Amino acid sequence: MTQLPNPPDDFEALCRMSASFGSNPMHIQGAGGNSSIKDDAVMWIKASGTLLADALTKEVFVATDLDRIRQALDANDPVADQPAQFLFPGGSGLRPSIETSLHAVFPHRVVLHTHCIHTLALAVRKDARERLLEKLEGFDWAFVGYTKPGANLARSVQSVLTPEIDVIVLGNHGLIVAGETVEEVHSLQNRVHEALHCDPHVADVPDLRALKHCAQGTDYELPDDLSLHQLGLDAGRVTQVTEGSLYPDHVIFCGVAVASLKQDETVENAVQRLTQSGAPAPVWLIVPGGGVIVRKGASGPARIMMRCLADVMARIPGDAELSYLSSDQNNELLDWDAEKYRQKLNAN
């Protein structure tokens, strides 16, 4: 096939489902997540850097050659990590999602990948498998440990897939549900989300006056979103979020882990300490026992990911042991052309 194919009859239903979950930050934050639908040898998938929330108002899906993607994966061809190579000509010019190969390994027609908060709150824990066993009884599911998104992750998922499995939990990453119809996937996503439900815990009330005094005269300010302060009000949470990074989108838009002021340290001294090795100024800082301050001009996607982390951590006990991305895993995300492209689109 050399020309752009027509979408399947239930493509509009896919767009409606995508927009519904894409506009709900408990399922998807910003440009995260993706969905797809297969029509014989064609797979329509969300384009990199676009928002599922826009699926009813903008062109966010692109058509890819499903057979060629699968052939590249089977042959261990490096082109499997270059999803733009599988586009049909005549489209919008957007690149397919960096997770195109991940969708391709599913035999199901419809696939939805989200970064749902309840899933992340479990998938970042060292005891994730045990916790999931308790909550996903009755589902046909599998767990896959963290792997950088792309062909290697696709192969890891493929290695655990059976005809029955339609739910995959990705360690330090998110959730995938699959089915033959849009309606089936929509229902399954909601049922898994409910099964993984974790109640949030509010630590305390921030001292906004003290935070304003701390930020006065600096490049930092108080966030509009008061829920972010919960990250700085519980000693256990402060330790957890400053220890390392928990999932890819946080690294991409907010940097590695979260920086914190040391005892009796000023904001200026903290920034000087954190940037002396050449690193950029942190997009936000924890004031232990007080709350959080955010760099003026921090991007919209960064602020969205700040809220995501606050929502995730509110559902994790302060004494829970977490599984962090390694230094190499952080670095490969930060120095990744596909993510730089997505950041550029998000900035626009």
Side-chain angles (χ1 to χ4, degrees):
M1 191 179 297
T2 58
Q3 61 183 17
L4 188 66
N6 293 320
D9 292 341
D10 50 353
F11 183 73
E12 186 175 347
L14 176 76
C15 293
R16 286 196 300 270
M17 179 189 72
S18 300
S20 175
F21 288 122
S23 59
N24 185 338
M26 290 301 293
H27 292 273
I28 290 173
Q29 307 79 38
N34 32 70
S35 60
S36 67
I37 190 166
K38 301 178 180 76
D39 188 30
D40 292 329
V42 182
M43 181 172 72
W44 293 83
I45 187 164
K46 193 198 83 163
S48 179
T50 61
L51 278 67
L52 282 184
D54 293 336
L56 289 173
T57 58
K58 296 181 180 179
E59 189 173 358
V60 303
F61 290 95
V62 293
T64 59
D65 189 323
L66 181 59
D67 289 342
R68 288 185 55 223
I69 299 168
R70 287 173 169 171
Q71 289 166 8
L73 282 167
D74 291 343
N76 289 318
D77 190 332
V79 78
D81 264 326
Q82 302 170 32
Q85 298 299 314
F86 305 110
L87 279 169
F88 285 101
S92 61
L94 294 169
R95 295 184 188 179
S97 167
I98 55 177
E99 292 170 322
T100 296
S101 56
L102 177 61
H103 287 248
V105 300
F106 282 84
H108 310 75
R109 276 192 75 238
V110 182
V111 178
L112 175 66
H113 168 45
T114 63
H115 300 157
C116 90
I117 297 299
H118 297 310
T119 303
L120 286 172
L122 296 166
V124 301
R125 294 179 58 154
K126 285 191 175 181
D127 61 354
R129 293 176 189 267
E130 292 78 9
R131 297 288 175 179
L132 291 164
L133 274 172
E134 298 171 6
K135 290 178 172 285
L136 290 179
E137 184 177 0
F139 290 90
D140 294 314
W141 68 282
F143 180 85
V144 175
Y146 177 79
T147 303
K148 175 187 171 185
N152 286 338
L153 175 58
R155 294 187 187 99
S156 295
V157 169
Q158 189 175 37
S159 71
V160 302
L161 278 176
T162 67
E164 297 79 22
I165 288 177
D166 54 11
V167 175
I168 298 285
V169 176
L170 302 173
N172 295 86
H173 189 157
L175 173 69
I176 308 172
V177 298
E180 292 308 306
T181 68
V182 173
E183 293 76 14
E184 180 184 335
V185 168
H186 195 288
S187 174
L188 183 57
Q189 172 73 18
N190 282 330
R191 290 190 290 115
V192 174
H193 187 255
E194 181 61 29
L196 297 181
H197 179 85
C198 307
D199 289 325
H201 171 68
V202 177
D204 209 339
V205 177
D207 185 343
L208 299 182
R209 181 176 297 180
L211 283 172
K212 286 181 181 178
H213 179 75
C214 178
Q216 188 173 5
T218 74
D219 291 332
Y220 291 79
E221 61 187 359
L222 270 65
D224 294 330
D225 189 342
L226 296 180
S227 68
L228 301 189
H229 295 303
Q230 294 298 312
L231 292 170
L233 295 174
D234 179 274
R237 283 184 193 162
V238 172
T239 299
Q240 287 171 325
V241 298
T242 56
E243 192 75 18
S245 305
L246 294 169
Y247 42 85
D249 272 10
H250 181 90
V251 178
I252 299 305
F253 294 108
C254 292
V256 176
V258 185
S260 175
L261 296 183
K262 294 184 176 181
Q263 188 173 3
D264 299 325
E265 187 177 40
T266 66
V267 173
E268 293 91 339
N269 288 341
V271 172
Q272 184 177 17
R273 167 175 59 83
L274 293 164
T275 59
Q276 62 184 358
S277 62
V283 295
W284 56 339
L285 285 165
I286 286 180
V287 181
V292 167
I293 54 177
V294 178
R295 195 172 72 217
K296 297 173 183 176
S299 70
R303 293 175 188 269
I304 289 171
M305 293 315 302
M306 293 175 196
R307 175 57 188 264
C308 176
L309 184 63
D311 285 337
V312 169
M313 298 309 301
R315 290 162 172 82
I316 300 176
D319 60 353
E321 293 188 33
L322 305 184
S323 177
Y324 298 98
L325 303 186
S326 68
S327 295
D328 286 345
Q329 288 167 339
N330 284 320
N331 290 335
E332 69 180 2
L333 289 168
L334 292 170
D335 191 33
W336 190 13
D337 175 69
E339 284 295 6
K340 291 176 182 178
Y341 169 80
R342 184 162 72 118
Q343 282 182 301
K344 181 179 178 180
L345 288 184
N346 274 219
N348 293 333

